[in-house]
Amino acid sequence: MRFPTSFIAAAGLLASVFAAPIAEVDYDGCDSEIPSSSAAAVISSPIATTSSVAISVTNSIPTSTRIMVASSAAATVQIPSSISSSTTPSKTAAAAIAASTGSSNSTGGLQWLGMNESGAEFGNTNIPGTLGTDYTWPLAASIDTLMGKGMNIFRIPILMERLAQGTMTAALDTRYLGDLSTLVTHITTAGAHAVIDAQNFGRYGGSVFTSTADFQTFWTNVATEFKSNDNVIFDCNNEFHDEPSNQLVADLNQACIDGVRAAGATTQYIFVEGTSYTGAWTWTTSGNSEVMGNLTDPSNKIVYEMHQYLDSDGSGTSDVCVSSTIGAERVAEATKWLKANGKMGIIGEFAGGTNTVCESAVTGLLDALVEASDVWMGAMWWGGGPWWGNYIFSMEPEAGTGYVAYIDTLAKYA
């Protein structure tokens, strides 16, 4: 999802981490700055108990580096404490979560219902960046809370440039990979699925990448690290857009599939995304329907990931939904395409504002997916993560705007 400049400036987040077709803000020219070291010198880790650090929001901190919009003089940010053996959940504890919540299998009509968990993709202008200053990792405790509500799939946006530094064919960075692996292990040990999402919009280092060979190598390197974990899902690239051709998007997705399978990762699902920000409502008009259906996988585990927001331009930059029925309407043509072509799909991002029109639209969207659950495998809300502050769709427990408004609704489908 993509934020317009006005919202980004107000929230203090210059963010390419959000996706959707807003022409005024593009991945090439925006970033997702989280506070500089002058605001907080804190180290975050993905898998630990929650701790609170009060960060003063004063005029001495530039607007572009503030992470909260607060009427008071100070905001409190939840950050995970350091990784240690004493704070890493045991397999027994994680198994207990899975047993008590049924996190491995949804009971709400869809195979998967879950959350995007942001943080590791923030600060994309600072590569590799400083953990706790430029980027963070989702909180294990928050994920556990969501699993307790029945959620069983978590999409983890990462930056290719942080994982493979300098060039996408480079050896994977030990620290970033280690933190990712720790988070993935926490999620999958509990019986849920962890989606490793390259949140790059078809760009590396700010430029469109076109080398299928390099992209295949990147995914071979990543998949090699996770090939023994059946609950890992590989999400090739988030929201391609403005590419040299639609065929290139298909070719890059095929390279991703080939790279994953070449690593010996043969049992995991692979999520593929189309051009035009992979919108469900434009799937049959953007060129995706013409080229993406030809992808092949020897394991036959391709899932077509589409995103769908409910505001007027489908960008997810507004909490005003077009109508109470727009959710179901915007997935209708994509549903027909999946059925006609024998494909499986997932809504990888969706959200709605905290008002009755949006609430009806969100319910309608989910009902439409359940009704067509022979082709739709699930949906993931955008977004969770500890640095969202008062963002309009925040699903961070327990006080996130989206969490308060929608967690009970989503739990009915989990």
Side-chain angles (χ1 to χ4, degrees):
M1 170 185 26
R2 186 70 48 87
F3 283 99
T5 303
S6 57
F7 179 90
I8 294 168
L13 291 171
L14 296 180
S16 69
V17 298
F18 323 114
I22 291 295
E24 67 190 82
V25 181
D26 197 2
Y27 180 89
D28 300 333
C30 61
D31 63 319
S32 53
E33 296 183 8
I34 304 300
S36 66
S37 57
S38 63
V42 196
I43 299 298
S44 301
S45 64
I47 198 88
T49 55
T50 302
S51 60
S52 297
V53 175
I55 298 177
S56 295
V57 180
T58 68
N59 289 334
S60 63
I61 303 172
T63 301
S64 63
T65 60
R66 297 178 192 169
I67 64 173
M68 294 290 181
V69 177
S71 57
S72 60
T76 299
V77 180
Q78 297 296 320
I79 2 182
S81 49
S82 301
I83 295 176
S84 69
S85 59
S86 63
T87 57
T88 301
S90 66
K91 290 185 178 180
T92 302
I97 294 172
S100 64
T101 65
S103 61
S104 60
N105 292 291
S106 173
T107 58
L110 297 170
Q111 181 170 332
W112 293 314
L113 196 286
M115 188 64 51
N116 285 269
E117 289 288 340
S118 284
E121 81 279 30
F122 284 0
N124 72 300
T125 59
N126 294 324
I127 302 297
T130 301
L131 179 62
T133 299
D134 300 304
Y135 70 97
T136 189
W137 289 94
L139 296 173
S142 296
I143 291 172
D144 290 347
T145 296
L146 295 171
M147 284 195 283
K149 299 293 185 178
M151 292 190 179
N152 63 359
I153 187 168
F154 298 89
R155 185 172 179 249
I156 309 166
I158 62 169
L159 287 183
M160 294 172 66
E161 296 92 339
R162 282 202 177 109
L163 188 55
Q165 296 178 16
T167 172
M168 71 171 64
T169 60
L172 304 185
D173 179 73
T174 302
R175 183 175 188 185
Y176 197 71
L177 173 63
D179 287 347
L180 173 62
S181 298
T182 301
L183 181 60
V184 166
T185 298
H186 179 77
I187 293 169
T188 59
T189 299
H193 280 77
V195 183
I196 299 174
D197 160 40
Q199 189 84 356
N200 277 68
F201 303 87
R203 275 77 176 155
Y204 182 94
S207 299
V208 173
F209 59 82
T210 59
S211 173
T212 55
D214 288 355
F215 196 50
Q216 179 170 332
T217 296
F218 171 83
W219 275 111
T220 295
N221 291 343
V222 174
T224 296
E225 301 294 331
F226 299 96
K227 63 183 179 182
S228 62
N229 191 334
D230 290 348
N231 277 14
V232 168
I233 296 169
F234 303 105
D235 185 345
C236 293
N237 218 258
N238 181 74
E239 296 189 345
F240 291 96
H241 68 91
D242 299 296
E243 298 289 325
S245 71
N246 290 343
Q247 187 58 52
L248 174 62
V249 174
D251 291 344
L252 289 167
N253 276 290
Q254 187 64 60
C256 167
I257 296 166
D258 295 344
V260 169
R261 299 311 182 210
T266 58
T267 59
Q268 295 90 346
Y269 287 100
I270 298 175
F271 288 178
V272 297
E273 302 190 33
T275 191
S276 193
Y277 301 89
T278 204
W281 68 323
T282 59
W283 190 262
T284 61
T285 59
S286 62
N288 285 325
S289 61
E290 299 169 10
V291 297
M292 291 292 286
N294 297 322
L295 299 176
T296 61
D297 174 21
S299 296
N300 195 31
K301 302 198 82 170
I302 296 173
V303 179
Y304 288 80
E305 180 181 331
M306 306 180 198
H307 298 172
Q308 192 56 66
Y309 294 97
L310 310 176
D311 47 352
S312 60
D313 59 3
S315 65
T317 60
S318 170
D319 60 359
V320 177
C321 295
V322 172
S323 72
S324 61
T325 58
I326 194 64
E329 291 165 4
R330 283 190 171 170
V331 298
E333 292 304 312
T335 301
K336 292 177 183 177
W337 182 85
L338 291 169
K339 287 178 178 287
N341 290 276
K343 308 298 184 183
M344 302 300 294
I346 186 169
I347 296 297
E349 295 181 16
F350 76 102
T354 57
N355 54 73
T356 57
V357 174
C358 285
E359 289 164 7
S360 295
V362 166
T363 300
L365 183 152
L366 292 171
D367 285 343
L369 301 184
V370 171
E371 185 177 350
S373 60
D374 56 324
V375 292
W376 288 112
M377 299 183 74
M380 291 177 281
W381 180 275
W382 181 277
W387 278 6
W388 278 123
N390 63 355
Y391 167 51
I392 55 175
F393 300 142
S394 172
M395 192 59 70
E396 189 69 6
E398 301 275 341
T401 302
Y403 185 89
V404 172
Y406 280 99
I407 190 58
D408 290 339
T409 297
L410 297 182
K412 296 175 184 177
Y413 294 89

